[in-house]
Amino acid sequence: MTRSVFDSLCIPVVETSAHKAFLALKKAMKQARWVELRLDYLRSTKEMSQLLSRMNSFKPGRHSLIFTLRRREAGGRFKGTMRSQLHWLKRAALLGQWLDLEIETLRREGTPVVRDLKRAGARVIVSYHNFKRTPVNLSEVAKHLLAAEGNLIKIATQANSMSDAVRLLGLQHDLAQKGHRSVILGMGACGSSTRILGPSRGAEFTYASLSRGRESAPGQWTALELKNTFRINSINSQTGIYGLLGCPLSHSLSPALYNSAFAHLRMNAVYLPFETRDLMDFPAWTKRLKVKGLSVTLPHKAEVMQFVSKEDPAARRVGVVNTLRQRRGRWLGYNTDVRGVEKPLRELGLDLKKKEVLLLGAGGVAQTVAAVLHQAGAKVLIYNRTRPAARRLARRFGHGVVQRTQLRNRHFALIINATSVGMWPAANKVPINLDRMRADVVFDLVYNPADTRLLQEARRRKMRTLSGMKMFISQAEAQFRILTGKRLPTAVWSRVKGTDPP
């Protein structure tokens, strides 16, 4: 049975004063049944006392409140002694709600402390946190927590790989199958998928911040993101899993686009960010998660080809992929970036044959652009901060390499930025200074923001511009059809920031 967003979310309140914490509590209760009051974030024991006193007369109704006073030793902010911590927890226990007791306190005080808190009226979450790694012996950690005889166990560890994330989800599923109430999740970018998939694997709830900047742990989504972007209440054991493979991914609009399309088409599917720098474990975690398809972005477009059994002609010609589809246990590779580059240039009516073009970058995206420009018969010069990479790419397609000092007073038919410079959040940067050169057209493949500083600088110099959003839209339309067999609904573009319907 699918649970509602309301039931499966826990919003932590991370305010420094009792007054602000109480106001945030009431806001959080409108979005989630579970609310965690982080007492260790309050700036003094006086504020703590004021909040607990105010809670004496507060009636949470069907909401469940969790009181947490985490000491610094366990990754919290409370500077007091363990004795002081237990004093405040016992006072909170009298409110008859939930308490979070970390394993560090349990190890020193023993299981009787759990029984004491329960006798005082609380239900106890026995928790383990590891902010550095996900230990190999996860099941042993779970057994130790269960032995304390609390009401629920929580394990939150730093996920340093997608394998870590999958192991955490596997433990969550196993504990739920055995009837143990639990919350198992991965912190950090690699663990973000566990926060989305956890409830569908049996987690009692998943943590979500009230707003950006109010997170209580790394990798936390906002409640609205989990509700509106990922439709967490619709995810179940039969939900098809798709995603974006790359690093970093915070700039990407693909999760918003794909999940909006799935909702529009009423598909039981979810599109997740799989942020990882290492592909060594790629076959294992994608198999365990039963991933159906992937978009691929920097820096994996070339490296991931080692796992591809068959590629389309565009990918074979370019040597990189940006789309992977699972079929009968094999990965098929495609390159829709070629279409993404060709279509906007064709619509602009730009004839590049024997025209001089400046290509900025030498990575996977630049490789696709270099192939397209070679096919168009352009005379291409590649500029890249790392000259050996520029030379390798130039040799592959018969292009030239240029240094920054050689760009002065040059006139290009086209300048294409195929680097990530200027991408959010570093949107104030430019990959190259346009002061002493001219171009008929400047095409920036960065699409977030849609109007980059490079494009603004080009317009100031009376040059025509093409936004990377043009490429994003063109390649996404082709990619969606490959991965799902369906046409990408035009209506979804209005739901993605910075875009207009094509």
Side-chain angles (χ1 to χ4, degrees), residues 178-447:
K178 294 173 183 176
H180 299 304
R181 299 181 75 180
S182 59
V183 175
I184 314 296
L185 58 89
M187 295 183 286
C190 285
S192 64
S193 59
T194 67
R195 297 178 179 275
I196 300 167
L197 296 177
S200 69
R201 270 61 177 172
E204 194 76 20
F205 53 78
T206 189
Y207 289 86
S209 67
L210 194 55
S211 61
R212 283 288 182 195
R214 312 310 293 162
E215 300 87 357
S216 62
Q220 222 168 69
W221 301 97
T222 67
L224 289 178
E225 284 173 329
L226 290 180
K227 175 185 176 183
N228 297 335
T229 300
F230 298 104
R231 299 179 299 139
I232 192 172
N233 58 319
S234 300
I235 301 174
N236 55 44
S237 60
Q238 303 304 310
T239 299
I241 295 178
Y242 299 83
L244 176 62
L245 179 68
C247 185
L249 298 179
S250 59
H251 69 284
S252 180
L253 300 181
S254 293
L257 175 66
Y258 266 80
N259 287 307
S260 292
F262 291 155
H264 186 88
L265 295 171
R266 299 188 178 182
M267 291 177 61
N268 185 12
V270 65
Y271 185 97
L272 305 172
F274 296 125
E275 183 164 323
T276 179
R277 292 189 177 278
D278 189 359
L279 291 185
M280 290 295 291
D281 59 348
F282 177 83
W285 68 260
T286 52
K287 183 177 181 180
R288 287 191 64 183
L289 270 185
K290 298 180 181 178
V291 177
K292 290 188 169 186
L294 291 165
S295 309
V296 185
T297 188
L298 299 172
H300 300 315
K301 294 191 176 191
E303 188 183 357
V304 79
M305 286 195 73
Q306 66 185 293
F307 306 111
V308 172
S309 299
K310 184 180 179 182
E311 63 272 355
D312 74 341
R316 198 175 305 121
R317 173 163 58 95
V318 175
V320 297
V321 298
N322 75 318
T323 307
L324 294 176
R325 181 165 67 96
Q326 180 68 214
R327 184 179 180 186
R328 297 174 185 171
R330 300 189 308 157
W331 285 109
L332 307 182
Y334 305 82
N335 189 310
T336 64
D337 282 341
V338 169
R339 181 179 188 267
V341 175
E342 287 179 337
K343 187 178 178 184
L345 292 176
R346 185 171 60 251
E347 290 175 346
L348 198 63
L350 198 60
D351 181 10
L352 295 176
K353 191 169 185 179
K354 296 183 180 181
K355 300 289 180 60
E356 201 161 64
V357 175
L358 176 62
L359 170 59
L360 307 177
V365 179
Q367 197 163 318
T368 296
V369 176
V372 170
L373 295 175
H374 173 74
Q375 188 81 5
K379 295 169 62 177
V380 181
L381 293 175
I382 301 173
Y383 169 72
N384 190 60
R385 287 180 301 175
T386 308
R387 283 180 61 79
R391 290 194 190 101
R392 285 193 296 272
L393 180 57
R395 280 197 299 269
R396 180 182 176 97
F397 295 101
H399 298 324
V401 176
V402 67
Q403 298 182 51
R404 185 186 292 268
T405 55
Q406 297 173 305
L407 296 175
R408 292 177 181 174
N409 303 316
R410 299 288 288 268
H411 188 114
F412 298 98
L414 173 68
I415 296 176
I416 298 188
N417 175 35
T419 76
S420 59
V421 179
M423 185 171 68
W424 185 91
N428 63 327
K429 295 184 177 181
V430 291
I432 200 164
N433 193 323
L434 297 175
D435 275 346
R436 296 193 177 182
M437 65 179 78
R438 291 291 305 164
D440 297 330
V441 178
V442 175
F443 189 2
D444 194 344
L445 303 189
V446 170
Y447 66 82

